[in-house]
Structure formats: structure tokens, C-alpha cells
Amino acid sequence: MTTTWRDDASRDLVRSFGERMELFERGEGAHLWDADGRRYLDFLGGIAVNSLGYAHPVFVAAVAEQAAKLAHVSNYFATPPQLALAATLKRLAGTGESGRVYFANSGAEANEAAFKLARLHGRPVDARTARPRILALRDAFHGRTMGTLALTGKTWMQEPFAPMVPGVEFLDSTVEALEKAMDEHVAALFLEPIKGEAGVIPLPEGYLRAAREITERHGALLIIDEIQTGAGRTGEWFAFQHAGITPDAITVAKGIGGGFPIGALITYGAASDLFYPGTHGSTFGGNALGTAVAGAVLGEIESAGLVENAARRGVQIRQAVEAIDSDLVAGCRGQGLLIGIGLSRPVAKAVVAAAQEHGLIVNAANDETIRLAPPLTIGDDEIAEFIDLFTASLRTVADALLLEDAPDTEEVSA
Ligand SMILES: *Cc1c(COP(=O)(O)O)cnc(C)c1O
């Protein structure tokens, strides 16, 4: 008896993920091929990870060349690609001289480091100066480890794993709520500039500037999670740069490695002096292989003008989506190439399934939102193909809804 890959997956893989949707064997640019040789246009990009698309020659060469030279030596030692990437991240994030970089291997690990940074900042010098409180935004997502889950304002995610790491309080995303919650006992405010997992929901206009002013006034750190929004995705290197502010720390991961797992905490000014020897670490963090690949990926994003491309292609996609003749499209949110397409009915999962049938990969961020995070390299051809396939997918779902809504013929004749 033969078993299918689906049987293998449901027997052997952890059940914390849903059914795997497809078995992919290879990719090139914005396209994927499944085990039967069928081609798909991928506008999810590994969830905002594959900045350069699949098998980009710069990515491939960086992995191969560094693997042949030196992959890992531990953090007892430094390596040239690690130092080069730290300098690049400081420059792109605008930290100036005083910035520092902690390397991790994922988004959650970068946020764990940021959580510990906040605790160090909140440590009392005497009883009156303790800052035990940490503020985060309701519905934001910061990761799945115990520390980052405690920062993630989604009750259903936290509930099975109670009790949470203490000290975190959740706020609505309004300046008013922040003003009300803030005092001299807050160590840090954590936020996502655009809530990606929640459905590509931007912060209200002016929120980041107000958050900077309020945290500064009370001596709290402003820590911005740029894991999904960073590496050029929103049309700036980091989304906070649209607001023209300087945070105390940002976290990055996803897009900076272009498919290689790497994350980082980047600190500014006085926050750069909080960690001292022995307070944090990681065996793999900052290894030569990962930092060489991320350095090459960021170098290509910069030299090929892909940050500008993300800004321009984002506008192009949003305009084209809003011009689609379908009652299902309610409007677009997001910035650059992090796009949420709002639907007029809670059919996002049906749209994703129809898209897959048509050879298009997109994601349902929630029941009413399709999330797009394509490679930053896309151009006219990929966008035209996307609009064709997405229009066909919407039509498939609309037809099914019409059938569902149609009055039962027997009932009508009776
Ligand atoms: C993906 C994501 C994380 C978690 O990153 P992992 O690499 O999955 O641990 C944290 N914050 C945001 C905003 C993310 O999008």
C-alpha cells in the first residue's frame, strides 16, 4: 500500500500547525513548483521572509561561499560577516555610533532579547525606581515562546499556557489609552507598526510619534517589533522610519535573511548599555553563515533599489486590486509590499483555497483579510499574473456564494 505525502505529514509532523496545504519542491523568483511539477505564483513569500524570491543567485552564492569558508565558531569569537552585518544594520536602522546589535536565530528570539532588555531597564536602583510594568498592544503578535507569548495580546493563544510571564499589560491602540496607562513604573512599550498577523492593521495616524513622546517623557523604552515590517518591506528600511522617530530598540528577523533563519535586536543610545557580560546569549546567534547570507540579502536589496520598488509596487498592486470588478473586495490596507486586502464577507479561507486551485499562494490573516507579502523583486509581469489569478479566485468564490444564496428551487415552486 502506498502512502501519500499528506499521510506522512499528518502522522509524523507536530499537530500545532494545520494541515499542510501543498508539497513544494523548488522555487525560482516569485514562483514555486509542487511535487507534480505544477507552477504557483507565490504572493505570500514565506510570510514576508523571501525578500529576494526563491533561489536568487545572490542568496545561493552567499550560502555556498560562506558554507565553504566558515559556518560557525561560537560567540567566544567574532567573524568578518558578523561585524559587517552589525555595521550594516546600525547604518540602515539609523542608530549612529552608540547602537549595538544582538544576533538571534528567529523573530521570537529577537523579541525575547528585547523583553530582557526591558527588564534590565526596569530593574530598581532603589524601591522607588522599579519599573515592573511592560505595555503592549491588544491583538499585536510578538511570537510563540513563553516570553513573547506573554507580550502577545491574544487571549486564545495565551490561555492554554497560563500562567504567563508576569508584568505585561495590554492596551487598545489609541494615544488616549497609552497616556492613561503610562507612568514612571513602565519599563517599555512594545508595538508592531503594522499588526501583520492580526490582518495588516496599521497604527492610527500619528500614533508612533505620540508613543515616542509619551515613552520619552516617562523614561520608558519604545521597542518596535519590525520582524514583519522590516528589511524594506513597507517602502522604508524599517516601518518606524515613515514616522521620522528614533526608537530605543527594534527587533528584526523574517525578511533580513531572505530565507535563512536569523533575527536581531538593534538598540539605540543608552539602551545599548543595558546588557552586560553574562546577561544574554545564544549558541547559534550571529553565526558566520547566517550573517553572511543576511549581509548579502540586505546588500542586494540596497543595490537593486528594492526598498523603492516595494513602495512603488505596493501602490501599483493596491490600485489594481481596488479596480477589480468584484463585490468581495472591500479595500486595501498596509504599506509597500505588506498588503491586507479587506473582504466584504468572511470568506478569506475560501479565497485562499480557490487561489491555490488557480495556482496562486496568498494567506488568510483573518476571516476577512487576505495578506500579501511577495518578494521585493516583483515587477509588472508578476503583478499582472497576480491580478489575473486573484480575479479568477474571487470569481470562483463569488460563484459558490451565489449558489449558496440562491433560493432552493423546490421552495420557490411550492
Ligand atoms: C513572525 C513574527 C514574530 C515571530 O517570529 P518567529 O521567527 O516566528 O519567531 C514576531 N513578531 C512579528 C511582528 C512577526 O511577524
Side-chain angles (χ1 to χ4, degrees), residues 9 16-17 30 58 64 69 77 152 161 240 280:
S16 64
F17 298 96
V58 167
K69 207 186 279 175
F77 313 98
T152 292
F161 302 101
F240 77 82
H280 200 40

Coordinates of all heavy atoms in Angstrom, one line a residue, residues 9 16-17 30 58 64 69 77 152 161 240 280:
A9 N 2.7 13.5 6.5 CA 2.7 14.8 7.2 C 1.8 14.7 8.4 O 2.1 15.1 9.5 CB 2.2 15.9 6.3
S16 N 0.6 21.2 15.9 CA 0.3 22.6 16.3 C 0.1 23.4 15.0 O -0.4 24.5 15.1 CB 1.5 23.2 17.1 OG 2.6 23.2 16.4
F17 N 0.5 22.9 13.8 CA 0.1 23.6 12.6 C -1.1 22.9 12.0 O -1.3 21.7 12.2 CB 1.3 23.5 11.6 CG 2.5 24.2 12.1 CD1 3.5 23.5 12.7 CD2 2.7 25.6 11.9 CE1 4.7 24.1 13.2 CE2 3.9 26.2 12.4 CZ 4.9 25.5 13.0
A30 N 9.5 34.5 -8.0 CA 8.2 34.6 -7.2 C 7.4 33.3 -7.5 O 6.2 33.3 -7.1 CB 7.4 35.8 -7.6
V58 N 22.2 35.8 -5.7 CA 23.0 36.4 -4.6 C 22.9 35.6 -3.3 O 23.8 35.3 -2.6 CB 22.5 37.8 -4.4 CG1 23.1 38.4 -3.1 CG2 23.0 38.7 -5.6
A64 N 26.6 29.3 -0.4 CA 27.6 28.3 -0.8 C 29.0 28.8 -0.5 O 29.8 28.0 0.1 CB 27.5 28.1 -2.3
K69 N 33.6 28.3 3.5 CA 34.7 29.0 4.2 C 34.6 28.8 5.7 O 35.6 28.3 6.3 CB 34.5 30.5 3.9 CG 35.8 31.3 4.0 CD 35.6 32.8 3.8 CE 35.4 33.2 2.3 NZ 35.0 34.6 2.1
F77 N 34.1 34.1 19.8 CA 34.9 34.7 18.7 C 34.0 35.6 17.8 O 32.8 35.4 17.8 CB 35.5 33.6 17.9 CG 36.2 32.5 18.7 CD1 35.6 31.3 19.0 CD2 37.5 32.8 19.2 CE1 36.2 30.4 19.8 CE2 38.1 31.8 20.0 CZ 37.4 30.6 20.3
T152 N 2.2 38.9 23.7 CA 1.2 38.8 22.5 C -0.2 38.9 23.1 O -0.7 38.1 23.8 CB 1.4 37.5 21.8 OG1 2.7 37.6 21.1 CG2 0.4 37.3 20.7
F161 N -1.6 28.1 28.0 CA -0.2 28.0 28.5 C -0.1 28.9 29.8 O 1.1 29.2 30.2 CB 0.8 28.5 27.5 CG 0.7 27.6 26.2 CD1 0.0 28.1 25.1 CD2 1.2 26.3 26.2 CE1 -0.1 27.3 24.0 CE2 1.1 25.5 25.1 CZ 0.4 26.0 24.0
F240 N 9.1 52.2 11.1 CA 9.1 53.3 12.0 C 9.7 54.6 11.3 O 9.4 55.7 11.7 CB 9.8 53.0 13.3 CG 11.3 53.1 13.2 CD1 12.0 54.3 13.3 CD2 12.1 51.9 13.0 CE1 13.4 54.4 13.2 CE2 13.4 52.0 12.9 CZ 14.1 53.2 13.0
H280 N 22.9 37.7 28.6 CA 22.1 37.1 27.5 C 23.1 36.4 26.5 O 24.3 36.7 26.5 CB 21.3 38.1 26.7 CG 20.1 37.4 26.0 ND1 19.4 36.4 26.5 CD2 19.6 37.7 24.8 CE1 18.5 36.1 25.6 NE2 18.6 36.8 24.6

